[in-house]
Amino acid sequence: MVTLPATVYSQQIVKKKLNVYYPAVQHSINSKILQRTNELIRQQGYGENPDTEETGYYELKTNERNVLSLTLVNFAYSGGAHGLTVVVPLTFNVLTGKTYQLKDLFKKDSNYVSVLSKIVGAQIKERDIMVLGEYKGIKPDQDFYIADKSLVLFYQLYDLAPYAYGIPYFPISIYAIQDIIADESPLGQMFG
């Protein structure tokens, strides 16, 4: 079966103090992307504070083997020392429009949370990342995207580390976790 990348083009929302780009792909995926884009704009406070300025863009992470994984990145500034960036990941099956959560990538009863938590914990230690409080592992619905042959888990600003660390990303090779990956999942599609 030949799989081609999805055709992706940019759309833009422009209003006073708002300039956000988002990707457009196909109808079933577009509506989900636009919904999340609008939720993100509202979440960042646009329209509530007249001083808030927002900009947004997207990054394609994977567009192959019928898998589209991307992030929506939104920056809002309302005054003060610095603005706030929020990153929203979305991973789709381009044939069906299905959106995936982290649990959908792994075999049932795989204990993926424990496995991934240990890997992220080791990376935190190796990279000497100062955490806020005690690291207790990832959440079952941890933010992620797929890039190349890696699963990339990440935390929003202040969720794990101080602002100075930015958004901490934790790439995990699919080969390091292949025994727990569901074959039919987007991660399973990356083998071969």
Side-chain angles (χ1 to χ4, degrees), residues 13 15 33-43 72:
I13 301 172
K15 295 180 182 178
I33 291 172
L34 185 56
Q35 177 185 356
R36 286 300 288 134
T37 299
N38 284 320
E39 288 171 5
L40 186 54
I41 290 168
R42 280 190 301 277
Q43 176 188 341
L72 304 173

Side-chain angles (χ1 to χ4, degrees), residues 118-158:
K118 287 177 186 169
I119 294 170
V120 170
Q123 287 189 32
I124 289 170
K125 190 173 183 174
E126 285 171 22
R127 292 163 44 192
D128 199 25
I129 296 173
M130 180 191 339
V131 297
L132 298 170
E134 180 183 337
Y135 173 68
K136 296 181 180 172
I138 69 160
K139 299 179 293 187
D141 62 346
Q142 189 69 45
D143 287 332
F144 77 93
Y145 60 81
I146 298 169
D148 301 318
K149 294 195 181 287
S150 295
L151 169 67
V152 180
L153 301 176
F154 66 94
Y155 290 84
Q156 300 296 328
L157 289 172
Y158 299 113

Side-chain angles (χ1 to χ4, degrees), residues 18-101:
L18 178 71
N19 186 13
V20 175
Y21 288 88
Y22 67 93
V25 186
Q26 68 187 40
H27 181 69
S28 63
I29 293 175
N30 286 348
S31 62
K32 293 173 186 172
I33 291 172
L34 185 56
Q35 177 185 356
R36 286 300 288 134
T37 299
N38 284 320
E39 288 171 5
L40 186 54
I41 290 168
R42 280 190 301 277
Q43 176 188 341
Q44 291 281 83
Y46 182 76
E48 293 176 14
N49 178 344
D51 294 332
T52 298
E53 290 187 40
E54 289 189 39
T55 57
Y57 61 94
Y58 64 93
E59 295 178 345
L60 292 179
K61 302 300 186 175
T62 293
N63 186 7
E64 63 178 318
R65 302 175 190 215
N66 298 322
V67 175
L68 177 65
S69 193
L70 58 93
T71 56
L72 304 173
V73 183
N74 204 50
F75 174 78
Y77 181 74
S78 301
H82 52 75
L84 185 65
T85 299
V86 176
V87 178
V88 173
L90 294 167
T91 298
F92 299 98
N93 176 314
V94 296
L95 298 178
T96 65
K98 177 181 173 150
T99 307
Y100 291 93
Q101 297 178 0

Side-chain angles (χ1 to χ4, degrees), residues 111-123:
N111 203 9
Y112 73 93
V113 172
S114 176
V115 172
L116 298 176
S117 292
K118 287 177 186 169
I119 294 170
V120 170
Q123 287 189 32

Side-chain angles (χ1 to χ4, degrees), residues 102-113 177-185:
L102 186 60
K103 68 180 181 179
D104 300 328
L105 307 180
F106 300 99
K107 295 175 183 173
K108 301 277 187 246
D109 303 320
S110 66
N111 203 9
Y112 73 93
V113 172
I177 55 174
Q178 68 185 46
D179 56 328
I180 64 170
I181 293 173
D183 293 336
E184 68 284 353
S185 77

